[in-house]
Amino acid sequence: MLATEIQKYTDDYSNVHDAILNEVERSTHLHTIAPQMLSGRVQGAFLTLMTSLLQARHVLELGTFTGYGTICLARGLYSSPESKVVTIEANPEFSFLIKKHLAMAGVENKVECLFGRAQELIPQRSETWDLVFIDANKQEYVEYYEAVIDHVRPGGLILSDNVLWSGKVVFERNDVDAKVIHRYNEMLFRDPRVEVLMLPIRDGLSIARRV
């Protein structure tokens, strides 16, 4: 993992300073017990950039948490009435913070929030996704991927967060979650339906492009 000083340097020399997102970050630290689950500033800006470059209209997020990543995705949407982020969160206790943060950022009309198990909710959707962002239960990454892969358009992206798992996929592969994530990384690498690029952004971000 990058040293804290290096991460600060990348923040300092990237256009990632945003008053709204800073407030969402502060609110998350005040009201949750695991604020480290938040997407970081550089990663958030990367989500906006990828969504914008794809001119994405249909975006799916698995794992809303308090809405930081959701806001970043929504900001990158192609300007069109049908453009929307569908975000799924397993824990309904975050609903108040999500609603508050989306309204704060002025993107509440661009987001549809669903609560429940993604494996049950995804099959109910009819969209063909331009971009999917997976950042939920690590033990279920393989299930999420299999649920969405055939519904991503050619050239669309599946972004998967935490694929380095604090370096444990390399140094502590016996860790329960590291085992699953390593298996997931291997599966993506061998899947002929996608081309994969793994980036050491924050805790590791995997980009799978549908071919």
Side-chain angles (χ1 to χ4, degrees), residues 100-121:
K100 171 187 172 185
H101 295 161
L102 295 181
M104 187 188 304
V107 298
E108 66 271 33
N109 293 330
K110 298 180 180 181
V111 178
E112 180 180 353
C113 295
L114 304 174
F115 295 92
R117 295 190 76 242
Q119 298 93 320
E120 298 171 1
L121 294 171

Side-chain angles (χ1 to χ4, degrees), residues 141-159:
Y141 265 32
V142 172
E143 296 176 47
Y144 301 149
Y145 179 79
E146 293 295 355
V148 301
I149 182 60
D150 291 329
H151 303 282
V152 176
R153 70 165 173 84
L157 301 179
I158 298 176
L159 309 181

